């Protein structure tokens, strides 16, 4: 039986690590650019950050954003 690798998910796969860095940077930009962009562009930037969070959740098996916030459909 092959042993499952352990450790932080971002260190297990290069693509997941890239995704994590992109997600972290995008979230930082949401904070940094707040008030500097039009409301429409801010909404699009926030949507991009949320989309990256969903992708990271799917690839790592970690809770999805709605699960973290406690929302259920």
């Amino acid at each position: 039986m092959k042993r499952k690798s352990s450790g932080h998910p971002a260190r297990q796969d290069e693509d997941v690590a890239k995704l994590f860095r992109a997600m972290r940077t995008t979230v930082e930009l949401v904070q940094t650019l707040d008030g500097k962009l039009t409301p429409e562009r801010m909404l699009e930037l926030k949507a991009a950050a949320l989309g990256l969070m969903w992708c990271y959740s799917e690839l790592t098996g970690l809770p999805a954003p709605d699960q973290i916030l406690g929302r259920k459909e």
Side-chain angles (χ1 to χ4, degrees):
M1 178 180 256
K2 187 175 179 180
R3 183 176 169 199
K4 186 176 178 182
S5 61
S6 61
H8 192 276
R11 293 192 183 112
Q12 294 175 2
D13 183 288
E14 185 179 328
D15 292 334
V16 175
K18 287 178 186 178
L19 178 61
F20 178 79
R21 288 191 300 271
M23 178 182 66
R24 183 181 60 208
T25 301
T26 306
V27 170
E28 290 171 358
L29 282 171
V30 168
Q31 296 169 343
T32 303
L33 296 176
D34 192 25
K36 296 179 182 178
L37 297 174
T38 63
E40 294 82 14
R41 296 302 81 81
M42 274 307 295
L43 182 62
E44 291 169 351
L45 184 59
K46 289 177 182 180
L50 184 59
L52 291 171
M53 289 177 193
W54 277 100
C55 293
Y56 186 75
S57 168
E58 186 173 315
L59 290 174
T60 61
L62 293 172
D66 63 335
Q67 293 172 326
I68 292 171
L69 296 173
R71 296 183 183 158
K72 296 191 181 201
E73 294 184 26

